[in-house]
Amino acid sequence: MITILLFAHLQESVGKDRIEFPIEQLTVKELKTALQQDYPLLELDHVMTAVNEEYARNESKVTAGDIVAFIPPVSGG
Amino acid sequence: MITILLFAHLQESVGKDRIEFPIEQLTVKELKTALQQDYPLLELDHVMTAVNEEYARNESKVTAGDIVAFIPPVSGG
Amino acid sequence: MADRYSRQKLFKPIGTVGQQKIGEKHILILGCGALGTANAENLVRAGIGKLTIIDRDYVEFSNLHRQHLFTEQDAIDQIPKVIAAKSKLEAINSNVLIEAHILDATAVTLRPLLKEVDLVIDATDNFDTRLMMNDLLQQLHIPWIYGTCVGSTGMSYTILPKQTPCLHCLLDAAPPNGATCDSAGIISPAVQMVVAHQTTEALKLLIGDSDSLRTTLVTFDLWNNHYQMIKVDKAMDSACPACGMDATYPYLHYEATTKTEILCGRNTVQIRANREMQLAELANHLKSVGQVKGNDFLLSLDYQSYRVVFFQDGRTLIHGTDSIENAKKIYYQLVG
Amino acid sequence: MADRYSRQKLFKPIGTVGQQKIGEKHILILGCGALGTANAENLVRAGIGKLTIIDRDYVEFSNLHRQHLFTEQDAIDQIPKVIAAKSKLEAINSNVLIEAHILDATAVTLRPLLKEVDLVIDATDNFDTRLMMNDLLQQLHIPWIYGTCVGSTGMSYTILPKQTPCLHCLLDAAPPNGATCDSAGIISPAVQMVVAHQTTEALKLLIGDSDSLRTTLVTFDLWNNHYQMIKVDKAMDSACPACGMDATYPYLHYEATTKTEILCGRNTVQIRANREMQLAELANHLKSVGQVKGNDFLLSLDYQSYRVVFFQDGRTLIHGTDSIENAKKIYYQLVG
């Protein structure tokens, strides 16, 4: 099981702030693709990703038990 | 091993912001007494205590692996 | 003027309906120092209906590094804080009704001002006043938002009568002699961090979005990069004298209040608190302020032009003044 | 006046020595909106030596709910933001030298203003300007503090040239069309939360306490009670065109900049960005703002009195104005 935390407007798109995703291992990129099939998440190409509170790239591995946070960069100020 | 996080002026008194304390189990009250023997901590009678991010009373149990935070109430405003 | 709240209404949880509710609400802020001015500015900009501000003090230069709204001229003219704040707030938003009281807040002076108040924001600087307020607001069923800061640290917690633990539950034992801004110093971001949490919780309460309330006690240290939210549900105590089944509201009784008297012909004010002084703790806090001398029974400190003597039984003598207001101010600067 | 910083000097990490250093430093704040005014107020109250503020905009009523320093009269008179801010800041602390520039910040206009600047605070509202600033400050070896907020969320990160990942490293791919305050709304506590982090990091840098710097990217959502510090060391990219071994500073080149032109006789301004528009994302953000129509190649939006058409290839037409300033303002309100 992987826990996915959604921030900012990603929460609104999905209608909740976390998703539990039953899978053993995959890359960040594969996780994004899989989520986009199940949820109305248009914008995962541009979000920052953190795995267990550490910055992760698309090719980084995610393993069961990890907590993945998707953080859309915002530009307001 | 119990990890103790020190906040505010408790950090200054001890000179660091965390203590690793090698013990299996005891109560919050016993932990305070033990720490006061080893460190110059005058004020543990009045601090709030959290064990694993949850409020704890003097009679609450602390077990190896727990993270204990001592938070002195401050009154500034 | 129609669209001055447009960006706030675009925030989905508020919307047009939420903005309407905000505009109908009355908030009381107790204290008009660092936390008080910044909360007041936020809430007035956000468009609340009515704001009551209470403080007994006037503006000084040493306030300016962290207290919003005040200018050098206010310090030169020694304007009472609530008066200076009111004039700035009215220039910011003339739609908000602002009621300013130059007042020493006690259970007696505060009670009549709480009629038709929806929410109280804690911006006081000492535990005596907070525990009195805690009792009074439990009795009157008014929610309030605890906030405090010192150095680069702070904490906040939202108290809903009969639903959450109250401040008395959390402090458990007698209140400590907390570190104060006058003993440990303060940087302005610590103020704003507390205020950001207080104002957000206030907005949630004003629009009735109780599902979003934080429910945890937040505590942080900006300089040391620490932030923690602590679950406190278990702190609720059915025997609590402020919020329990048989509440007696101890801090509303005359015997429990801190008393002051002028000692005739001695240029000295005596303050008598209903608790013992922790002299060792206090000496530790005050060593940054001035030279501390003492023994097991008393502690003596030279502070500004005053000599302050703390007795272990809870009495404090402030030599060098015969003004009770002045003496109380010094007292709370030092003991918190 | 001697003791106006007394409570800040009592804070041990600053002390008298730190206060002296703060008073010798020059900070530039880019942008004088919500983040800009609040950071400016903090730093001026804290007693920095010199402050440069830059913004191209004037005060409007819809700014007042979240932008400090500004009053209703400033909005009525449509005072340029930096001018309104300067007069308020001077009343707060007459010891600070304040330089105000009404200016559209580009690599060309910004470079001469960065001479003898110790630190830059990001208070802009779009990624185009941030990435230009990122390149420029890497080239000039000036540290800066990224900050941004929307809705009840925000983030901040301290960028030290050659020591930490830069903004280009973190954004990795092309910058997104980020949510803006004009599409998703904003509450003022989100602003202050970012500012609290920016000001604290600024104070650490000014006094040279680099051991205390946060080093993580902080991101929060006040309404949903979320706060996270993310380690980003691994994001540092030796091939980064802004901070890598062979940096080319792409956002300083003319081809990379966003260009504007007035389409003669059509009451229309064309803005051409050097990247593709994410039309589906953009449509999603903008549905709160007004009716969005479109197809695979373009998106059309009625916004205030304008008609705005976004093309997939990066061009935008703003119908209903022949002012480039006006068109840019609308553009960044919508695309971020």
Side-chain angles (χ1 to χ4, degrees), chain D residues 14-163:
Chain D
I14 293 182
T16 309
V17 175
Q19 188 63 46
Q20 175 76 22
K21 288 182 189 164
I22 291 169
E24 291 162 357
K25 293 294 175 3
H26 179 188
I27 293 188
L28 183 146
I29 302 181
L30 190 51
C32 195
L35 295 175
T37 49
N39 269 300
E41 177 161 1
N42 277 356
L43 293 166
V44 164
R45 289 192 185 274
I48 59 166
K50 181 176 172 183
L51 177 71
T52 300
I53 43 179
I54 299 172
D55 197 287
R56 62 167 178 255
D57 211 354
Y58 60 87
V59 182
E60 292 175 277
F61 269 96
S62 65
N63 303 145
L64 296 181
H65 98 279
R66 70 187 182 286
Q67 301 187 10
H68 282 202
L69 301 177
F70 304 145
T71 63
E72 289 179 349
Q73 196 60 48
D74 296 323
I76 291 166
D77 297 342
Q78 300 188 307
I79 309 280
K81 288 185 173 181
V82 292
I83 302 301
K86 185 180 198 284
S87 81
K88 305 302 191 306
L89 293 169
E90 285 171 343
I92 288 170
N93 193 340
S94 57
N95 303 318
V96 181
L97 185 64
I98 295 165
E99 210 176 282
H101 296 276
I102 309 168
L103 195 72
D104 188 26
T106 67
V108 172
T109 60
L110 198 53
R111 191 184 291 272
L113 301 178
L114 287 165
K115 276 181 196 149
E116 292 167 6
V117 162
D118 296 291
L119 172 66
V120 173
I121 308 263
D122 169 24
T124 63
D125 61 359
N126 67 83
F127 279 118
D128 285 339
T129 306
R130 284 196 184 91
L131 285 164
M132 175 276 289
M133 180 165 65
N134 185 62
D135 276 356
L136 192 56
L137 298 179
Q138 288 290 334
Q139 195 181 48
L140 299 172
H141 288 83
I142 299 173
W144 67 287
I145 304 173
Y146 167 54
T148 184
C149 50
V150 156
S152 58
T153 74
M155 53 179 80
S156 183
Y157 177 63
T158 305
I159 298 173
L160 308 179
K162 310 292 168 204
Q163 292 181 54

Side-chain angles (χ1 to χ4, degrees), chain A residues 9-10 32 42-48 71-76, chain D residues 125-131 146 148 155 167-168 170-180 183 251 258 273 275-282 285 331-332 334-336:
Chain A
H9 55 269
L10 296 180
K32 287 180 179 176
L42 288 167
E43 310 189 24
L44 291 183
D45 292 345
H46 296 285
V47 301
M48 272 190 235
I71 307 151
V74 293
S75 61
Chain D
D125 61 359
N126 67 83
F127 279 118
D128 285 339
T129 306
R130 284 196 184 91
L131 285 164
Y146 167 54
T148 184
M155 53 179 80
L167 187 64
H168 201 116
L170 289 180
L171 292 178
D172 205 12
N177 297 324
T180 70
S183 62
Y251 287 90
T258 297
R275 52 178 165 118
E276 296 195 346
M277 285 282 171
Q278 314 296 323
L279 295 182
E281 274 185 33
L282 198 56
H285 285 316
Y331 178 76
Y332 285 121
L334 297 173
V335 307

Side-chain angles (χ1 to χ4, degrees), chain D residues 240-253:
Chain D
C240 173
C243 74
M245 312 266 276
D246 304 301
T248 55
Y249 310 115
Y251 287 90
L252 302 186
H253 299 162

Side-chain angles (χ1 to χ4, degrees), chain A residues 11-26:
Chain A
Q11 277 178 14
E12 276 176 39
S13 304
V14 173
K16 49 188 175 181
D17 65 355
R18 63 173 62 210
I19 297 173
E20 301 287 337
F21 204 68
I23 205 156
E24 275 307 300
Q25 194 183 45
L26 75 183

Side-chain angles (χ1 to χ4, degrees), chain C residues 32-203:
Chain C
C32 194
L35 294 175
T37 50
N39 269 302
E41 176 162 2
N42 277 356
L43 293 166
V44 164
R45 289 192 185 273
I48 58 166
K50 181 175 173 183
L51 177 70
T52 299
I53 44 179
I54 299 172
D55 197 286
R56 63 166 175 252
D57 211 353
Y58 60 89
V59 182
E60 291 176 277
F61 269 96
S62 66
N63 302 146
L64 296 182
H65 98 277
R66 69 189 184 285
Q67 302 188 11
H68 281 204
L69 301 177
F70 304 145
T71 64
E72 289 179 349
Q73 196 59 50
D74 295 323
I76 291 166
D77 298 343
Q78 300 187 308
I79 309 280
K81 289 184 172 181
V82 292
I83 303 301
K86 184 179 198 282
S87 81
K88 305 303 191 306
L89 293 168
E90 286 172 340
I92 287 168
N93 193 342
S94 57
N95 304 317
V96 181
L97 186 64
I98 295 165
E99 211 177 280
H101 297 275
I102 309 169
L103 195 72
D104 187 27
T106 67
V108 172
T109 59
L110 198 53
R111 191 184 290 271
L113 302 178
L114 286 165
K115 275 182 196 149
E116 292 168 6
V117 161
D118 297 290
L119 174 66
V120 173
I121 308 259
D122 168 25
T124 62
D125 61 0
N126 67 82
F127 279 120
D128 283 340
T129 307
R130 285 196 183 90
L131 285 164
M132 175 275 288
M133 178 164 68
N134 185 62
D135 275 356
L136 193 55
L137 299 178
Q138 289 290 335
Q139 194 182 51
L140 299 172
H141 288 83
I142 299 173
W144 66 286
I145 305 173
Y146 166 53
T148 183
C149 49
V150 155
S152 58
T153 73
M155 53 177 80
S156 183
Y157 177 62
T158 305
I159 298 173
L160 308 179
K162 308 294 168 204
Q163 291 180 54
T164 69
C166 75
L167 188 65
H168 200 115
C169 297
L170 290 180
L171 292 178
D172 204 9
N177 298 324
T180 71
C181 300
D182 301 275
S183 63
I186 175 89
I187 56 171
S188 70
V191 177
Q192 279 140 33
M193 188 87 168
V194 173
V195 169
H197 287 85
Q198 287 183 304
T199 303
T200 304
E201 294 283 287
L203 291 173

